[in-house]
Amino acid sequence: MSATKLKIRSQSVDSGGEIIGMSKETLYHRVDRTLNRILEFVVMILFIIMVILVFAQVYTRFLTNNSLTWSEELSRFIMIWMVFLASSLTYKKRAHITVENIVNLLSPPAKSVARKIAHVLMLIFVIIIFWGAYMILPTVSMQKSPANNIVMAYVYAVIPLSMLLIVPEIIKGFFETTVTKGDENP
Amino acid sequence: MTTLLVFLISLFMFIFIGVPIFISLGLSSLVIWMWTFGTLEPAILMQKMLIGIDSFPLMAIPFFMLAGELMNSGGVSRRLVSFASCIIGWVRGGLGFATILASMFIAAILGSASASAAMIGMVMIPAMTEKGYRSSFSSGLIAAAGSVGPIIPPSIPLIVYGVIAEVSIAKLFVGGYIPGILMSLAFMVYTYFHARKNNYLAEKSPNITEIWVSFKDSILTLLLPVIIMGGILGGIFTPTEAAVIAVVYAFAVGTFVYREIQLKNIPHIILRAANSTAMVLMVMSTATLLSWVLTLGRIPHTVTSILYSVSTNPFVFLLLVNLFVIVIGMFLDAVSALTIITPILLPAAKSMGIDPLLFGILLTVNLSIGVLTPPVGLNLYVVSSISGIDVMKISKAVIPFILLIILVILIMIFFQNTVTYLPNVIIR
């Protein structure tokens, strides 16, 4: 995708942690930053495991002429975890693919209203996911994956978890619009 | 019919109000579901989101992203550019030709348009300015040459299309070669006439030693696409396996041979790849729900019958679709656009006897125009941030290139063998 756009954004976020430290570092920022570090670490490890698993699968197929039976499924589950966890990091960087140009055409007050509506809609989406998780997790905790006997609830759990991680960010985004509105209309 | 309207209005309302695309797709699916069945089924949302990315072929995306990030160093683009100018720099307007050729090399390593424009732009914009090329021309050329990135394999949009449309990704990859080469050739012809008109000079012809040195420097980079595509075409690897080999190869070459990757940068490289992966695959995740809900709401059926009432001629259909897709591409990126367009229009295309392979490559080529058109043309912004030239000025400079891409699309529509011949001969 947009590698350069990402580069710019990821830099600003990475250094953002230190800039926050300059002014007043609240408990929220400290927790948020630690959480980010942990998330980044987990995403990185999952990505590396994924590479190793699939590479090992190709390698053993060449070497012993029979492929690993369990690695494909496991690597898919690891990818699911990696993608959803990375998606909360991406959300925090505001790097998810979003069409901003139409909103930017609006007048500042209308823009602020649009942003508020957008954030309410995002929150509704997250709540529906939680509701779905509440309904589906008991069922899938009985289900096991065919190749590795992994309880499917563990795989599904990453979806509500990743959404939970962005809830503070959505709420922040909702209120941020009030601030920018004040800034733009002195 | 009303379901179709509900779908279009809800989806574009969510997208244009600034909700991230993946959430817009999910919300709009729920809206259609409620409209059709009168209930809300949150459990299905979860289930389809998981199934949407629970796919081994899709895993090629994170791997190609990571291989791209590992290859994304200044050294790689410099070596490719110097090799390209050795090969073709001695013609009039040589730097322009070298830009196009180097972009093709990079397109064969990376799967995205803007990364390619950024990598080439860093090296070529200063070089072309120094040699007196008009800055609007050089910026436009680099932006346009980058748009070949997702057409020449590997390609992220083609993987996404292949998974949604259930078309062989290997075939799509092979099918991308001729359109990608046609686009590049068209750009070269334009560059030639532009260079003659503005009296741009040729670079001096390289001697044998120079050619050898630049070849030796870039051979390890150029081997990567050979390994990827050779393995896929030879039936040795699946695209996903080829992608993981690309990761290991790029890591080994970058770390031990070129020594441009330092271990302390690895976390950053991986996180960048994870970020780009999440951007694409989250869209894929909710798009799976959407395409399922659309089928339940019989929307593809409605669209097909509307299109049939306009015309049953496949050429008219393809022309109309392409016109529509150009407009969509101005606002959406290729992956999001594909996830929305494919489930709606592919059934109609199939019923008119259009090869799904051709349809996917046509859509991808068409959507590559989207990186060159304001307001969201990513390549315009990438090149503008490197060259410092105003985005509006570059977007005027790319107009001839956009017309050339449209010409290539017309060739693909009226001579469909340009797309379908190669994959059907090479892969059986």
Side-chain angles (χ1 to χ4, degrees):
Chain A
M1 287 311 306
S2 49
T4 31
K5 194 171 107 195
L6 292 179
K7 219 183 291 172
I8 299 159
R9 281 192 167 144
S10 63
Q11 271 166 5
S12 67
V13 167
D14 285 352
S15 56
E18 275 100 70
I19 291 168
I20 290 162
M22 279 186 340
S23 55
K24 46 176 195 238
E25 189 179 66
T26 59
L27 181 67
Y28 172 78
H29 288 137
R30 214 176 306 162
V31 171
D32 188 50
R33 202 174 51 179
T34 320
L35 212 59
N36 268 4
R37 287 277 147 82
I38 297 172
L39 256 180
E40 286 179 349
F41 182 75
V42 174
V43 165
M44 197 177 79
I45 296 297
L46 290 175
F47 209 143
I48 293 173
I49 296 176
M50 206 166 87
V51 171
I52 293 173
L53 270 180
V54 178
F55 188 71
Q57 188 181 322
V58 183
Y59 188 77
T60 50
R61 204 185 61 211
F62 271 91
L63 212 68
T64 63
N65 224 355
N66 53 43
S67 54
L68 304 173
T69 47
W70 50 272
S71 64
E72 200 228 90
E73 183 189 73
L74 187 61
S75 62
R76 273 189 283 123
F77 291 168
I78 288 175
M79 173 170 82
I80 292 169
W81 266 78
M82 195 276 281
V83 167
F84 278 97
L85 290 182
S87 93
S88 3
L89 286 170
T90 308
Y91 187 88
K92 288 185 182 185
K93 290 174 191 167
R94 317 239 156 136
H96 271 300
I97 308 169
T98 309
V99 176
E100 286 156 346
N101 306 71
I102 309 287
V103 172
N104 286 340
L105 293 177
L106 300 172
S107 67
K111 197 154 115 184
S112 154
V113 172
R115 293 238 163 103
K116 277 203 193 309
I117 297 174
H119 280 91
V120 170
L121 287 169
M122 291 180 218
L123 203 60
I124 291 174
F125 179 79
V126 171
I127 289 168
I128 295 174
I129 294 247
F130 290 152
W131 183 10
Y134 175 74
M135 288 172 71
I136 206 173
L137 284 179
T139 325
V140 290
S141 61
M142 317 278 207
Q143 254 176 46
K144 285 188 175 164
S145 73
N148 297 312
N149 271 330
I150 295 172
V151 178
M152 286 308 284
Y154 293 138
V155 184
Y156 276 95
V158 72
I159 303 180
L161 175 65
S162 67
M163 294 299 153
L164 184 67
L165 289 167
I166 64 171
V167 166
E169 214 61 30
I170 296 178
I171 294 171
K172 219 164 79 185
F174 180 86
F175 286 108
E176 248 169 37
T177 52
T178 339
V179 180
T180 38
K181 187 188 163 192
D183 287 347
E184 280 162 9
N185 301 333
Chain B
M1 188 68 205
T2 39
T3 323
L4 178 66
L5 281 177
V6 169
F7 160 61
L8 290 176
I9 293 170
S10 69
L11 179 66
F12 284 100
M13 198 189 76
F14 293 141
I15 290 179
F16 287 153
I17 210 164
V19 178
I21 306 256
F22 82 94
I23 297 183
S24 303
L25 296 175
L27 284 172
S28 147
S29 325
L30 294 169
V31 169
I32 306 165
W33 182 278
M34 287 202 322
W35 178 265
T36 323
F37 300 103
T39 54
L40 189 65
E41 292 287 347
I44 290 170
L45 170 71
M46 278 264 295
Q47 218 167 12
K48 289 286 166 186
M49 277 178 79
L50 188 94
I51 292 168
I53 59 168
D54 185 11
S55 137
F56 195 66
L58 275 185
M59 209 183 290
I61 292 177
F63 292 152
F64 278 128
M65 296 278 190
L66 184 54
E69 289 293 345
L70 286 166
M71 278 287 179
N72 191 353
S73 69
V76 169
S77 34
R78 214 169 26 246
R79 277 188 294 272
L80 289 178
V81 163
S82 82
F83 181 55
S85 36
C86 265
I87 295 179
I88 207 167
W90 43 268
V91 253
R92 186 185 280 278
L95 284 182
F97 283 86
T99 301
I100 298 168
L101 190 61
S103 296
M104 289 170 79
F105 291 150
I106 292 200
I109 298 171
L110 306 180
S112 87
S114 44
S116 158
M119 281 175 76
I120 295 292
M122 300 280 191
V123 184
M124 279 323 250
I125 284 175
M128 288 172 93
T129 314
E130 193 183 308
K131 290 279 158 78
Y133 284 65
R134 253 201 272 158
S135 57
S136 60
F137 169 74
S138 56
S139 304
L141 176 68
I142 287 162
S147 71
V148 180
I151 320 276
I152 294 181
S155 156
I156 306 293
L158 286 178
I159 297 173
V160 167
Y161 176 84
V163 170
I164 302 174
E166 291 169 351
V167 178
S168 146
I169 293 169
K171 277 193 169 187
L172 285 167
F173 274 10
V174 179
Y177 275 120
I178 292 182
I181 292 170
L182 277 179
M183 277 165 72
S184 306
L185 285 178
F187 295 164
M188 284 184 184
V189 171
Y190 175 76
T191 304
Y192 176 76
F193 285 108
H194 184 88
R196 223 168 60 165
K197 201 174 109 200
N198 290 281
N199 213 8
Y200 295 152
L201 298 176
E203 304 301 297
K204 64 176 173 59
S205 13
N207 57 36
I208 282 293
T209 4
E210 280 168 345
I211 296 179
W212 173 245
V213 167
S214 74
F215 174 74
K216 213 176 58 187
D217 275 351
S218 51
I219 180 67
L220 283 176
T221 315
L222 290 172
L223 262 179
L224 181 60
V226 176
I227 295 171
I228 297 174
M229 288 314 288
I232 296 177
L233 297 185
I236 308 171
F237 320 128
T238 62
T240 306
E241 291 170 342
V244 84
I245 303 234
V247 169
V248 175
Y249 180 86
F251 173 74
V253 170
T255 315
F256 303 117
V257 184
Y258 292 142
R259 295 173 192 277
E260 275 162 358
I261 301 170
Q262 288 167 317
L263 282 179
K264 68 174 193 320
N265 294 335
I266 293 283
H268 204 71
I269 290 172
I270 293 179
L271 286 174
R272 275 216 306 258
N275 193 347
S276 335
T277 305
M279 287 167 67
V280 173
L281 287 189
M282 287 308 284
V283 171
M284 201 54 207
S285 150
T286 45
T288 311
L289 173 72
L290 180 71
S291 70
W292 187 68
V293 172
L294 287 179
T295 315
L296 287 183
R298 296 177 61 79
I299 285 179
H301 182 84
T302 317
V303 172
T304 308
S305 56
I306 292 174
L307 285 165
Y308 264 90
S309 69
V310 178
S311 166
T312 48
N313 184 328
F315 292 110
V316 177
F317 169 77
L318 284 178
L319 291 173
L320 281 176
V321 166
N322 276 290
L323 209 61
F324 166 72
V325 173
I326 288 182
V327 179
I328 294 278
M330 292 171 89
F331 297 98
L332 296 181
D333 67 289
V335 169
S336 313
L338 279 174
T339 56
I340 300 168
I341 295 169
T342 312
I344 303 173
L345 288 179
L346 186 64
K350 274 183 181 160
S351 74
M352 287 187 190
I354 295 162
D355 190 343
L357 176 87
L358 170 83
F359 193 64
I361 294 172
L362 260 178
L363 289 182
T364 309
V365 172
N366 190 321
L367 288 167
S368 77
I369 297 175
V371 296
L372 302 176
T373 48
V376 230
L378 205 51
N379 278 19
L380 299 176
Y381 292 91
V382 166
V383 174
S384 162
S385 73
I386 300 171
S387 67
I389 292 168
D390 184 54
V391 169
M392 286 323 285
K393 208 172 159 193
I394 303 178
S395 59
K396 281 203 194 81
V398 294
I399 291 173
F401 296 103
I402 293 176
L403 293 177
L404 289 169
I405 300 177
I406 293 175
L407 179 71
V408 171
I409 292 174
L410 291 175
I411 293 175
M412 288 163 70
I413 292 177
F414 289 105
F415 304 94
Q416 304 188 347
N417 270 340
T418 50
V419 183
T420 52
Y421 176 75
L422 211 54
N424 289 331
V425 168
I426 295 180
I427 300 174
R428 287 174 190 283

